[in-house]
Amino acid sequence: MHRASVCRVLTAAALAVPAWCAVATPATPASAAPSAADVTLDLSSVTPAVAKAGDDLVVTGTLHNGGGSALARPTVAVVMGSMEPTRKAVRDWAAQTGPAAGKVVGQSRLTGSVPAGGSQTFSVRVPKLATLGPAAYGAIPLSIQSGAASIRTFAGYQQTKQYQPMSISWAAPLTLDPDPNLFGGSGAARETAWGEALGEGSRVARVIRATEDAPVTWAIDPTLTPTLLPDDVDIEADSAQGRQESAIRVATEDRITDLAAQHSPWVLPDTDADLAAVAGIRAGEPLMRSFVDRADGVAAKLDGRADIAWPADGGYTATRESALRRVFRVPALAGQVTSGSALTPAGSANTPSAAQRSTTGLPLLAYDDSLSGLLARTTSASDGVLSTQQFVADSVALLNELPGTEGRSVFVAAPRSFNPDPDTARSFFAATATIPWLAPTTTDAMLAKARRAVPTSSAPVTRPSVPATGGRAVLTTARVGQLEQTVRTVRGVAQIRDDGDAFLRTWTRAADQLASTRWRAAPTAWNTLSGRVSEAARQTTTAVKVSASTINFLADSGRLQITVTNDLAVPVDDVKLTVEASNPRLRIDSQPAVLRIGPRSRATVTVRVTALAAGPVPLRTTLTTPDGTVIGQGADVQVRVTPTGHWIYWGLGGVAGAILLLGIVRTFRRRPGSGPDPTGSVHSTGSPPPAAPDPLPREATTA
């Protein structure tokens, strides 16, 4: 018989306990259990994780009495069950509840009684566990039970090595939580958010502590290393964003940089940009390339690499690979992390090796979905024990798919939501390091192996064969376009504000973060941050505007005066006003110089124009920043054009002549009368002299 077949038969027997064991020896019942729902069990350890020849298995835990009466000296038993030697059988056994039928291989009676509402620890020893399995190595399904209470777990064992070990490597993302208060305007909410995101007890701090001593590759979002990014991308150590925020972010960065050499760091595209959502959206590729370029600079300072793509959904397609290659130009794409289930051919009974290569030569690291999920379950001490022992059983079932095949590899990747209990995760890593059929290696070594692998044709060409993980993508084609426009607007308006540097760092960085993968877990939070960024940009673009007015222009040529207002609390500078006539009645001869306007002030500019015909002329006014970003809002500036021409001089002469003629007519049409003799002589006719003139003048009459 072929060596691999022999190994498979032997090791399968290690997992499949003879059927008579399952029926011939019933479990010993616990004593005086008040009711099925009243007693619960928690495990605190199953040691060793894999028992060698001669080792005793010790199971410890706590029995809780939730009933209304005391339990008198209850018994806790370890029952050995049976299952098929497959990964599915391992999952099924772990999911079952209730006591199991099988052989009691160990039991312990607690001393005294457990009072109502009380608890008591227990310890059960299983002598020489490895002898219970008929094969050279394997995993035994166990039920730890007391009365109606039960916990399902596993015990690994090995008497002799009869297999080819698999190499195993690990990776864990260091990324932020989806909190919109982390970015945008300064204030108490932002300070508090950063304290919760990076402070002691935060998820990021727990991941660092859980993995700092383990052989785990860190995949780092450059947002966690702000001072390693190019200047003006993020806050500086003395930024006005807040001293508390700066201090905690720099402290986290220092811890990451101090430990980075131990973790072969991958640097994700800046903000942990959602490659899975944007790959294939051509409009978003320039933005993604800028994120990859920033990551490359951070990787150089951390002695890491930024050429590995880790899409959040774990999917792989040939189309996506082409898109990622366009995004990863500097550096060029050197590998992709993907889900193992995405590369598993339909109907295949075997799990593919972790080190794969696409048909076009791209190295692929396919993480094992089941084993990666068990790592993510290290959230509490009791869950950690169960996940550790299931990891042992699942990995040996994986081994037994092809036990004699040399060079097989396993890759375990924590999800971006990884939120471990540090002590539990450290115990998990320590226990899994003792599994003899798993040989530790690095992700760099596994990538090197993937480069030499035979190309796989199992990956789909157009769409993933498995459902996406990590939540649905928030970014769509429309939102990518909106995001790029928002980033351009923020950068543009920052050029004219006196507080432009701080405004640029604050709101451009907030806009960048909208491309992050993290919002898959909180799409409503994405909407919140997007609204804040848009409002910050809109505030500037609407606060600087041209005042509406109506101008009467009575000349052939001259100057028009236009008023521009600034409603912001900060001055603006380098604002350019462009004026265009909407019809040919008026010609714009010169544009105004760039403007500087004080806070909550206005400025008046002049524009030289020439009138070509009479009539109304609406003016189109445009305010722009130095890079051409349009600001302001449309203003209704109307010009009533009345050109003069040569006829105006004849008209003025006619008006003057008419005034002169009117004066002459008024002179000759005065009322007639005789005045006194200018010589003062007396009339010789003897007539009486004329009457003296009226002391008050009479009103002149007009015809």
Side-chain angles (χ1 to χ4, degrees):
M1 185 180 293
H2 191 273
R3 178 184 177 186
S5 300
V6 172
C7 292
R8 182 178 300 179
V9 170
L10 291 174
T11 53
L15 286 170
V17 178
W20 62 267
C21 293
V23 297
T25 310
T28 301
S31 59
S35 71
D38 292 337
V39 178
T40 58
L41 299 171
D42 285 331
L43 294 185
S44 54
S45 69
V46 176
T47 56
V50 178
K52 303 293 181 61
D55 289 345
D56 293 347
L57 182 75
V58 179
V59 179
T60 62
T62 304
L63 183 148
H64 305 278
N65 179 13
S69 60
L71 288 174
R73 300 192 64 198
T75 297
V76 178
V78 176
V79 177
M80 184 173 71
S82 63
M83 66 181 185
E84 294 295 324
T86 64
R87 305 189 74 183
K88 180 180 183 302
V90 170
R91 292 192 296 270
D92 290 345
W93 176 267
Q96 290 176 22
T97 59
K103 180 181 179 181
V104 176
V105 294
Q107 64 180 359
S108 175
R109 184 178 294 276
L110 278 61
T111 60
S113 63
V114 182
S119 301
Q120 188 170 336
T121 60
F122 64 84
S123 178
V124 183
R125 181 176 296 272
V126 180
K128 298 181 179 180
L129 177 84
T131 62
L132 298 177
Y137 68 94
I140 299 173
L142 300 177
S143 174
I144 317 302
Q145 55 195 56
S146 179
S150 173
I151 295 180
R152 301 297 180 95
T153 188
F154 307 86
Y157 71 94
Q158 176 173 298
Q159 298 184 40
T160 59
K161 175 187 173 185
Q162 295 183 5
Y163 51 79
Q164 289 293 334
M166 302 179 296
S167 59
I168 184 170
S169 62
W170 308 76
L174 293 183
T175 58
L176 285 168
D177 292 328
D179 185 349
N181 291 329
L182 292 171
F183 306 98
S186 60
R190 176 165 174 157
E191 295 284 301
T192 300
W194 278 107
E196 293 174 350
L198 300 180
E200 191 66 29
S202 67
R203 190 187 64 81
V204 172
R206 288 196 295 272
V207 173
I208 293 174
R209 185 183 166 200
T211 59
E212 61 184 351
D213 296 325
V216 177
T217 292
W218 281 350
I220 303 168
D221 177 359
T223 308
L224 295 175
T225 57
T227 69
L228 302 186
L229 286 163
D231 293 342
D232 299 328
V233 169
D234 211 316
I235 66 165
E236 299 174 352
D238 58 349
S239 169
Q241 293 298 325
R243 295 186 180 276
Q244 181 180 346
E245 173 191 337
S246 298
I248 198 168
R249 294 185 70 183
V250 170
T252 301
E253 177 185 298
D254 289 345
R255 190 174 182 190
I256 291 173
T257 54
D258 290 344
L259 296 170
Q262 304 170 216
H263 295 281
S264 306
W266 297 343
V267 180
L268 300 168
D270 188 24
T271 77
D272 185 20
D274 196 345
L275 298 173
V278 178
I281 300 178
R282 291 283 185 147
E285 289 180 3
L287 183 62
M288 292 297 111
R289 278 196 290 271
S290 69
F291 290 153
V292 171
D293 181 65
R294 292 179 196 169
D296 190 39
V298 175
K301 297 174 183 178
L302 290 176
D303 196 21
R305 59 191 307 165
D307 54 0
I308 306 300
W310 188 344
D313 63 359
Y316 170 83
T317 66
T319 302
R320 175 177 290 184
E321 179 186 328
S322 298
L324 291 177
R325 287 186 183 276
R326 292 194 299 269
V327 169
F328 283 79
R329 292 183 178 177
V330 180
L333 185 65
Q336 182 191 330
V337 174
T338 182
S339 166
S341 56
L343 302 181
T344 303
S348 175
N350 294 332
T351 306
S353 185
Q356 298 279 322
R357 188 158 67 100
S358 73
T359 54
T360 56
L362 179 66
L364 304 174
L365 293 187
Y367 59 81
D368 189 281
D369 297 82
S370 178
L371 297 178
S372 298
L374 293 172
L375 170 60
R377 280 175 47 191
T378 55
T379 54
S380 67
S382 58
D383 285 341
V385 173
L386 297 176
S387 62
T388 299
Q389 296 310 119
Q390 187 174 343
F391 192 98
V392 171
D394 199 22
S395 63
V396 77
L398 172 62
L399 172 71
N400 286 335
E401 291 177 353
L402 297 168
T405 302
E406 187 177 1
R408 295 176 68 201
S409 56
V410 181
F411 179 47
V412 180
R416 283 169 168 83
S417 58
F418 187 37
N419 189 15
D421 173 70
D423 292 335
T424 299
R426 291 160 75 97
S427 297
F428 177 93
F429 286 121
T432 55
T434 66
I435 300 176
W437 47 83
L438 297 178
T441 188
T442 64
T443 52
D444 284 340
M446 195 166 287
L447 281 167
K449 181 183 291 188
R451 285 194 292 270
R452 301 188 300 268
V454 176
T456 178
S457 59
S458 61
V461 175
T462 56
R463 63 175 182 268
S465 59
V466 294
T469 58
R472 297 183 60 183
V474 175
L475 292 179
T476 61
T477 301
R479 282 179 167 176
V480 167
Q482 173 190 342
L483 172 59
E484 289 198 313
Q485 179 58 48
T486 300
V487 171
R488 285 193 296 268
T489 300
V490 169
R491 288 175 178 164
V493 299
Q495 295 177 341
I496 65 171
R497 296 175 61 112
D498 263 20
D499 62 350
D501 289 343
F503 183 89
L504 182 67
R505 280 198 306 271
T506 299
W507 293 107
T508 302
R509 194 59 179 153
D512 286 346
Q513 297 296 330
L514 292 171
S516 177
T517 294
R518 74 180 74 99
W519 308 112
R520 285 172 173 258
T524 301
W526 187 94
N527 292 332
T528 299
L529 182 59
S530 177
R532 292 174 183 174
V533 176
S534 298
E535 175 60 25
R538 189 197 65 80
Q539 182 186 25
T540 300
T541 58
T542 59
V544 182
K545 56 186 179 293
V546 175
S547 298
S549 60
T550 299
I551 304 172
N552 293 315
F553 187 72
L554 303 173
D556 287 335
S557 63
R559 293 182 175 88
L560 295 179
Q561 290 188 332
I562 298 175
T563 301
V564 182
T565 62
N566 171 26
D567 294 336
L568 295 172
V570 296
V572 294
D573 201 359
D574 290 334
V575 178
K576 181 181 179 181
L577 172 64
T578 302
V579 182
E580 298 176 281
S582 60
N583 61 55
R585 294 190 181 101
L586 191 69
R587 185 181 68 210
I588 308 300
D589 295 326
S590 66
Q591 297 291 344
V594 294
L595 303 174
R596 176 175 176 82
I597 312 173
R600 307 193 189 284
S601 302
R602 62 181 60 199
T604 301
V605 298
T606 59
V607 181
R608 292 192 61 85
V609 298
T610 298
L612 301 178
V617 180
L619 296 183
R620 292 190 294 265
T621 60
T622 306
L623 293 169
T624 56
T625 66
D627 68 351
T629 300
V630 177
I631 60 174
Q633 54 188 6
D636 187 11
V637 177
Q638 296 285 343
V639 180
R640 296 171 181 168
V641 179
T642 307
T644 55
H646 296 292
W647 60 267
I648 192 66
Y649 302 108
W650 292 103
L652 292 176
V655 171
I659 293 173
L660 179 62
L661 180 61
L662 180 60
I664 294 172
V665 170
R666 287 171 60 91
T667 300
F668 281 97
R669 296 196 61 179
R670 288 179 181 171
R671 185 177 301 230
S674 56
D677 188 353
T679 61
S681 58
V682 178
H683 289 274
S684 59
T685 59
S687 300
D694 192 336
L696 295 176
R698 293 181 180 178
E699 181 178 358
T701 61
T702 59

